[in-house]
Amino acid sequence: MEAKAYLRELRITPRKVKIVLDLIRNKPVGTAVAILQNTPKAASLPLEKLVKSAVANAEHNFGMDVSKLYIKECYVGPARMMKRVMPRAKGSADRILKRSSHVTMIVAEKE
């Protein structure tokens, strides 16, 4: 049995979120939360909330034991991009792409 939680439209680039997700993949939930609390990255706080949401889903919806939970899967994908324009020399312009992320977290019980 596994429980999922999703984080949509996180305004941090997927590349930066992936660095933090690689730290907590396949770790027990308690360890993962401790790692996120001590990691000085912008993505740490939203991901900590997402882990706690997945744990709450597992406990409330499926009656799983919280002490046996671990992060089975976590991955990030691109979301919608905000397109902005920055003026450049001689009347031209460059396009700035402000990227967003969709994050998926799956927790399961260790047998």
Side-chain angles (χ1 to χ4, degrees):
M1 185 68 62
E2 55 189 35
K4 297 180 182 179
Y6 301 100
L7 176 58
R8 300 289 185 201
E9 299 293 335
L10 176 63
R11 258 298 289 128
I12 302 173
T13 66
R15 188 174 175 177
K16 292 178 182 178
V17 175
K18 185 181 182 308
I19 292 170
V20 181
L21 286 179
D22 289 342
L23 294 173
I24 63 170
R25 191 172 288 119
N26 296 321
K27 298 269 193 319
V29 169
T31 306
V33 170
I35 289 170
L36 290 172
Q37 287 174 346
N38 293 301
T39 303
K41 295 279 188 184
S44 295
L45 182 63
L47 290 180
E48 182 184 344
K49 285 181 166 183
L50 184 63
V51 169
K52 289 179 179 177
S53 174
V55 169
N57 289 343
E59 185 178 20
H60 183 266
N61 298 341
F62 302 106
M64 293 185 201
D65 184 14
V66 177
S67 62
K68 293 181 183 175
L69 290 178
Y70 76 104
I71 297 175
K72 182 178 179 182
E73 277 183 63
C74 54
Y75 52 90
V76 61
R80 190 171 25 200
M81 282 185 274
M82 294 190 292
K83 296 172 176 83
R84 301 292 182 257
V85 175
M86 179 178 274
R88 305 310 279 176
K90 298 183 180 178
S92 64
D94 281 347
R95 178 174 275 182
I96 305 294
L97 300 175
K98 295 184 177 255
R99 299 174 192 274
S100 297
S101 305
H102 290 321
V103 186
T104 303
M105 184 83 55
I106 302 172
V107 294
E109 278 187 325
K110 238 348 163 205
E111 281 87 34

